[in-house]
Amino acid sequence: MAIKNHNYHMTKFVISAPDIRHLPNDTGIEVAFAGRSNAGKSSALNTLTQQKSLARTSKTPGRTQLINLFEVEEGVRLVDLPGYGYAEVPEAMKRKWQQALGEYLQKRECLKGLVVLMDIRHPLKDLDMQMVEWAVAMNVPVLVLLTKADKLASGAKKKQLMGVRQALAELEGDIEVENFSSLKKIGVDKLVIKLDKWFSEHSA
């Protein structure tokens, strides 16, 4: 299989949708980014695409309340899913996001890979584990990015990486774990390689 290199800096915003019924047709290939509200999802997307404000970042975690769709090229899309876990919003609103998130993950046929972001200092919370376990159950490959890796010394960074790899190995899924930092550009190359691989595997 020839792996095609995609120009992620050409990525364009397409639509923000409250649920999957408002998304474009379920065709092509999508890779979704998921994570707790304060895991640095928007920053990772902006770093990947070399665009400062493609995905809106905010000092208040939990601003991604909609499914945000970005097109890399025709039929190749990145999806920023609603953040889970942290946001201080009314319970009903939280439930609505969780529903949109769950529905997307279960019903979107063109989802071919999941990038799960976790703060390297607090990885593997319950919702993170549920997300990865769900992906394994649905045969969706996972790349776990341990974000904010610049905040730890190299020994601690390595220890966290090994610990998370070990914990997730027990799930016996297609799971890779890498350290990541939007600030220091750690792990961006590995993210690009993985995305190119996923998109190439499923392109017509």
Side-chain angles (χ1 to χ4, degrees), residues 12-187:
K12 299 186 298 286
F13 171 76
V14 181
I15 192 172
S16 289
D19 54 50
I20 59 171
R21 282 169 290 286
H22 292 81
L23 289 175
N25 289 345
D26 195 351
T27 56
I29 314 161
E30 288 175 2
V31 170
F33 283 63
R36 291 174 70 79
S37 303
N38 52 349
K41 218 157 26 81
S42 302
S43 302
L45 279 160
N46 290 341
T47 302
L48 166 70
T49 57
Q50 300 166 31
Q51 298 182 43
K52 277 196 177 68
S53 53
L54 181 74
R56 285 198 295 274
T57 55
S58 150
K59 289 281 179 279
T60 316
R63 283 284 183 250
T64 308
Q65 301 166 16
L66 300 163
I67 299 170
N68 292 306
L69 213 61
F70 305 95
E71 191 165 64
V72 180
E73 57 185 60
E74 199 175 336
V76 173
R77 295 180 294 273
L78 301 171
V79 184
D80 186 9
L81 292 172
Y84 51 81
Y86 176 95
E88 291 174 22
V89 293
E91 205 46 52
M93 197 185 227
K94 231 182 241 188
R95 277 200 299 276
K96 213 166 142 189
W97 301 351
Q98 302 305 352
Q99 196 184 341
L101 182 68
E103 215 177 27
Y104 173 85
L105 294 171
Q106 282 158 17
K107 296 184 178 165
R108 194 77 172 158
E109 296 282 328
C110 58
L111 173 66
K112 300 300 180 194
L114 185 65
V115 180
V116 180
L117 297 98
M118 308 178 193
D119 187 322
I120 191 166
R121 298 161 300 177
H122 326 283
L124 301 179
K125 301 266 191 199
D126 287 352
L127 290 167
D128 297 325
M129 285 303 286
Q130 279 174 29
M131 188 63 78
V132 177
E133 284 165 0
W134 170 85
V136 170
M138 302 285 282
N139 286 321
V140 174
V142 180
L143 173 63
V144 172
L145 294 181
L146 300 178
T147 61
K148 310 183 187 182
D150 52 280
K151 305 232 185 257
L152 293 184
S154 65
K157 233 184 342 235
K158 201 174 278 181
K159 189 173 169 216
Q160 285 291 70
L161 180 65
M162 289 315 183
V164 173
R165 278 181 178 165
Q166 217 169 346
L168 293 178
E170 293 169 17
L171 297 179
E172 297 181 354
D174 181 352
I175 307 168
E176 238 177 82
V177 186
E178 300 293 350
N179 283 337
F180 189 86
S181 163
S182 296
L183 196 65
K184 295 277 165 65
K185 310 283 185 280
I186 299 166

